[in-house]
DNA sequence: GCAGGTTCATAGGCATAGCCTATCACGGCC
DNA sequence: GGCCGTGATAGGCTATGCCTATGAACCTGC
């Protein structure tokens, strides 16, 4: 059976006349006659009582056309729905973001994204890098924002902006008077995040290995870590976008003499079909953060 | 768009794998790939994210498959419904019957019809010949039972049984003593039905023209006419099947010396597709009435 | 009663859509 | 690097759907 046949059927039911129905369908009358006959043979039911005057739908035909109408309109609904879905810059877009980035980046980019991509229904999802990559590979996310470097050949990514690290010190810390800090000087009393946070590993690496990181404290989140630093438990490195929050907590920030930092990327599956959406989102974020790397040293965005 | 394509689409959604979906559809994998690709081109939406591992439905695809399922199941409903409608001996059957026949014939044939054609949903419709033919031609009836001879080339008919006329007399009528009656002897005080009843015209004709039919009374129905005869207003001819009712009314019945009568036929449109149903109904009625012409002279069925 | 205009059905020819097999291209995995 | 898996592509065949032309049945009007 064919949707075309059902359209023919409905046309003949409507016109009760093969010739006029054929004209309405844009085909010749013989075409319609043959196709209707085939349909009758297929379903084993005579659909029309033909005479030299007219083609009257049989009782059986009238019982069937409800279903025929349903099939045809469902097909039309597919076309109509597809038309709305056609724009890759519209629809749901599930974006994974790491926890050390989300609370500081989202407030900056939410409004610009809404303005630049009004049809895109952005759904942020916050989790650590490995969990995000798992969800991305499972098609549960459309793209992720990461601060790490590699994720495998099945994914591709685009760098968005560079984010410098800053030394975060309690106000009364011995190093607080210096204009810049050397990371290795922090190692003595540095505090880090819990396992799984990429920022933890980057902090450890910047400070020259994990030898000194023996403290019992592993902050579950960056805000907690900032509070601990403010309370004088130790020092840490923070990503530049968190500078505002750190200063609000009463923490002294100093640039690193090495200018160490991390690069934030947007990553997605290599086969993901809405690449245009990913790139548009990335572009808006990159534009909003343009020049951030320079300005961030002063603690501003 | 084609229902086949939608079936392919649903199969790939279900299996998330072109090869297995192809096997499920009974076609080759390239066939499926090409058709899905065409569908994507047609609706302008990427339906699957292909990789070397699997074919994952896109968000847009998942929004569309509801409609696709609706279309496919509507098509299947057509097939299923058609299967039930396929038997011409099932379904509604609207049978028109003339008023001088309906009340006497229906009680005889209703049970046999129910038994012989249990799937046939018989709907009797009582009206005079011309109205019945009009409804029949308008496809509002499937067949009609008539006692006249001709109805035009667009209709065909089949004789079912012969029904003799009987002379109906008040018990105290001068002719009541005779064993048989000559129709022309009835003409003096004969009563007839209202215009439109075929029995009226047949009575007039049997009694030798309308010369004597000057009475003001034109009974609207046969039971009324019987009551008038029983009350001594005059005589009449009745169809054999009404013998029982006439005797119950206290009327004397006598055979006609000419053995005049009428033939009851079933008629239907020449193009009517359920000829088998018409013939089956006719056959049951004819079988029930077999031998009636002989027995009817004695007032029995 | 027969010509002319309906109706739908049929026949023959043509284009193409759909299918198959064979093969390619890519990626993952020993 | 070879091997298996995935889906995509190419070429050839067939069936199907379409057209025009024609036929058969029927009505209508002269």
């Amino acid at each position: 059976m064919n949707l075309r046949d059902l359209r023919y059927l409905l046309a003949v039911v409507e016109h009760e006349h093969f010739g006029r129905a054929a004209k309405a369908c844009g085909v010749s009358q013989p075409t319609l006659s043959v196709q209707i006959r085939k349909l009758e043979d297929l379903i084993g039911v005579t659909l029309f009582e033909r005479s030299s005057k007219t083609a009257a739908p049989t009782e059986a035909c009238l019982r069937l056309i409800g279903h025929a109408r349903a099939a045809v309109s469902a097909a039309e609904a597919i076309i109509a729905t597809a038309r709305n879905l056609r724009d890759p810059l519209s629809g749901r877009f599930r974006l994974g973001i790491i926890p050390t980035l989300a609370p500081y980046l989202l407030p900056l980019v939410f409004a610009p994204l809404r303005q630049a991509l009004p049809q895109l229904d952005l759904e942020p999802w916050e989790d650590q890098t490995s969990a995000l990559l798992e969800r991305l590979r499972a098609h549960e996310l459309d793209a992720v924002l990461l601060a790490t470097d590699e994720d495998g050949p099945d994914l591709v990514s685009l760098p968005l902006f560079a984010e410098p690290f800053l030394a975060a010190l309690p106000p009364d810390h011995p190093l607080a008077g210096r204009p810049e800090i050397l990371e290795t000087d922090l190692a003595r009393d540095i505090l880090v995040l819990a396992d799984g946070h990429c920022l933890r590993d980057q902090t450890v690496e910047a400070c020259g290995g994990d030898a000194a990181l023996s403290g019992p404290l592993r902050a579950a989140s960056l805000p907690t870590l900032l509070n601990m630093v403010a309370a004088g438990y130790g020092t840490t490195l923070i990503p530049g976008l968190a500078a505002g929050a750190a200063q609000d907590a009463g923490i002294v920030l100093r640039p690193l003499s090495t200018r160490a930092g991390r690069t934030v990327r947007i990553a997605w599956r290599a086969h993901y079909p809405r690449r245009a959406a990913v790139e548009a989102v990335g572009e808006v974020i990159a534009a909003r953060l343009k020049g951030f790397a320079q300005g961030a040293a002063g603690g501003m965005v």
Side-chain angles (χ1 to χ4, degrees), chain A residues 4-12 14-15 18-28 31-32 36:
Chain A
R4 188 193 331 105
D5 299 339
L6 298 184
R7 284 184 231 273
Y8 291 168
L9 166 64
L10 293 177
V12 179
E14 188 187 345
H15 292 93
F18 278 73
R20 283 192 286 278
K23 188 164 290 179
C25 292
V27 297
S28 72
T31 296
L32 216 106
I36 294 285

Side-chain angles (χ1 to χ4, degrees), chain A residues 19-286:
Chain A
R20 283 192 286 278
K23 188 164 290 179
C25 292
V27 297
S28 72
Q29 168 265 316
T31 296
L32 216 106
S33 284
V34 168
Q35 292 310 115
I36 294 285
R37 169 74 68 194
K38 279 191 194 174
L39 185 60
E40 287 180 326
D41 291 346
L42 174 70
I43 69 177
V45 168
T46 301
L47 294 169
F48 296 97
E49 185 175 330
R50 288 106 162 141
S51 75
S52 58
K53 273 207 164 352
T54 184
T58 60
E59 179 86 14
C61 176
L62 296 175
R63 299 262 191 99
L64 293 174
I65 53 172
H67 294 302
R69 268 190 246 279
V72 169
S73 61
E76 281 166 3
I78 290 177
I79 301 282
T81 308
R83 199 189 316 280
N84 292 334
L85 295 172
R86 186 138 45 192
D87 180 10
L89 302 186
S90 77
R92 188 163 64 144
F93 189 87
R94 295 156 302 179
L95 180 65
I97 314 181
I98 54 174
T100 53
L101 185 59
Y104 315 109
L105 177 67
L106 277 177
L108 295 181
V109 299
F110 220 94
L113 282 170
R114 278 272 292 275
Q115 202 194 341
L117 304 166
Q119 300 301 315
L120 203 68
D121 183 17
L122 193 73
E123 287 187 10
W125 178 270
E126 183 178 320
D127 211 329
Q128 296 179 356
T129 304
S130 61
L132 290 184
L133 290 175
E134 203 171 306
R135 293 194 96 88
L136 181 63
R137 289 195 165 94
H139 295 76
E140 290 164 8
L141 292 174
D142 295 287
V144 295
L145 294 181
L146 304 175
T148 46
D149 280 342
E150 301 230 342
D151 8 64
D154 56 331
L155 302 181
V156 287
S157 67
L158 203 64
L160 299 182
F161 60 93
E163 187 182 25
F165 291 139
L166 299 174
L169 312 163
D172 55 354
H173 194 275
L175 299 174
R178 303 201 189 164
E180 318 187 324
I181 310 283
L182 194 65
E183 295 90 307
T184 45
D185 289 343
L186 291 175
R188 280 186 300 113
D189 55 356
I190 199 149
L191 302 173
V192 295
L193 286 169
D195 285 355
H197 287 282
C198 58
L199 182 57
R200 175 190 189 278
D201 304 329
Q202 290 157 346
T203 302
V204 169
E205 195 196 335
C207 299
D210 57 356
L213 306 170
S214 51
L217 290 167
R218 293 280 188 275
S221 72
L222 194 47
T224 304
L225 186 60
L226 294 179
N227 286 338
M228 288 161 61
V229 170
Y233 282 92
T235 66
T236 195
L237 291 189
I238 64 159
L241 281 178
Q247 286 177 319
D248 290 347
I251 288 175
V252 171
L253 297 178
R254 292 289 177 270
L256 300 179
S257 41
T258 58
R259 297 292 185 270
R262 64 185 190 179
T263 299
V264 173
R265 296 176 300 128
I266 189 166
W268 65 95
R269 297 184 299 279
H271 296 284
Y272 183 66
R274 288 162 75 198
R275 186 186 177 114
V278 180
E279 290 177 344
V281 167
E283 210 164 297
V284 170
I285 296 175

